[in-house]
Amino acid sequence: MIENGLKLNFAQVTVSIVDCPDLTQAPYYLASSGLAGDETIVEFGGPPYLLPLVQRDKVYDLHSLVRNVEGFENKEFFVCGAGAGPWPVINQNCEGIINLKADENGPINNFTHYVNVNADGTDYSIHQVEPNETRTALLGNLFLSEGKSGKVLKVSCLKRIGEENFISAMRVACTKHYGDKIVGIGGAFVMKEGKAKQHVMDDFSKIPIHTDEDVNNWLKFFNMPAPLIALGTFVTNEADLDLRLQHFHSFSKHKHGGHYHYDVTPETVEYEGYFSVGKRIVRIDRPVVTHMLGRD
Ligand code: ZN
C-alpha cells in the first residue's frame, strides 16, 4: 500500500520489513541503534505558540517531557524528530533536529542539532548541542521508543516522477488505505543524492504574523545539498488532537540542515529511510486556541 503510493511519485521504489541496521552508523548517525520498543508518536505544543507572536514561556525539557509519558517514567529511551530548537542557548529562534538517547539520569548520547539564520539572513549555521542540553521549545513532533534493534520498515526511492515529497507520498497512501483510522509513523530517512528545499526559521518576528504569505516571507528558504539526514513523524489525520500531519527536520555532517519541504532535483534524487509504526499517539500541551498557519 505504501509501495503503491510511492510508485505514483517515484520511478523506482522498494519497500520491505527488515531487521534494523545499526543506525548509529553512517549515513544515519542516530543516537541509538534502533527504533524498537514501546514505539510512541509524540506531539508537543504547536504553531499557535510561535504565531502570530512567540510565547517565550513555551520552553520544554525533553528529558522530563519523556519521563511524563506513561511507561517511560524510568527506562532508557531514544527520541528523534522535528521541533523548535533550544533558542535560549543562542537567544535566537532556531530549528531543532532532536536525536537523543537518555537513561534515568539524562543524556547518554545527544546528537541533537540546531540551525539558525545568520545575522544578515542570507545564510545559516548548524550546531550540535552541548551533551547535557535537553531543551526544546514551542512545538515538536517526535518518535519515541526504547531505541532497541528490531523489525523496521525500509523504504528506498529513486527519481521523483510525481508531485508528492518522499513523506507526503507515504502519508497520502496511508490515509487512503486507513480512512478515518489514525496511524502514526516515525523514523529517519537520508536524502542521498540531490538537493532539498528546506527552511530555517528567522528570529522571532516582532510584527504579528497572520497569514501564510506572512509566514513564507518570514521563513528563510534554501536549497540544501545531499546527504541530509531527516528525522520526524507523519500521521494519517489530525484526529481530534490538532495533530500536525507531517514534520521532518534534517541535519548533516557537511553543515546543512533545516525543515524538509521537498527535493528540487527530481531526476537525480535518491531516498532511503527506516520507519516504525507508533503503538500510540501522545499529545502534550496542546494549544487551546489553534489555527492552521505554519504547518507546511
Ligand atoms: Zn519544522
Side-chain angles (χ1 to χ4, degrees), residues 31-147:
S32 194
S33 57
L35 302 172
D38 208 354
E39 301 85 353
T40 304
I41 305 291
V42 177
E43 175 158 357
F44 64 87
Y49 296 155
L50 174 67
L51 310 167
L53 286 169
V54 66
Q55 296 182 32
R56 286 177 192 264
D57 58 324
K58 293 298 182 186
V59 173
Y60 305 89
D61 175 62
L62 279 168
H63 194 253
S64 43
L65 187 141
V66 170
R67 288 285 165 249
N68 282 309
V69 173
E70 196 183 338
F72 282 91
E73 291 85 354
N74 40 42
K75 64 187 172 191
E76 200 168 282
F77 70 81
F78 168 58
V79 68
C80 67
W87 63 265
V89 172
I90 50 170
N91 196 28
Q92 183 188 330
N93 189 25
C94 50
E95 304 288 342
I97 305 96
I98 293 156
N99 185 8
L100 169 75
K101 183 179 181 179
D103 67 10
E104 56 265 44
N105 301 312
I108 308 170
N109 288 321
N110 194 353
F111 295 140
T112 296
H113 288 70
Y114 62 90
V115 184
N116 62 280
V117 171
N118 290 353
D120 65 0
T122 58
D123 204 355
Y124 50 89
S125 42
I126 182 166
H127 310 269
Q128 188 176 327
V129 298
E130 294 296 319
N132 284 310
E133 178 59 69
T134 53
R135 285 176 294 182
T136 181
L138 304 172
L139 61 94
N141 298 84
L142 306 171
F143 182 78
L144 170 65
S145 74
E146 294 168 359

Side-chain angles (χ1 to χ4, degrees), residues 82-84 95-96 139 141 199 201 244 246-249 258-261 294 296:
E95 304 288 342
L139 61 94
N141 298 84
H199 78 234
M201 292 189 288
R244 191 165 180 150
Q246 66 182 69
H247 200 186
F248 278 77
H249 285 183
H259 171 116
Y260 170 77
H261 285 269
D296 194 4

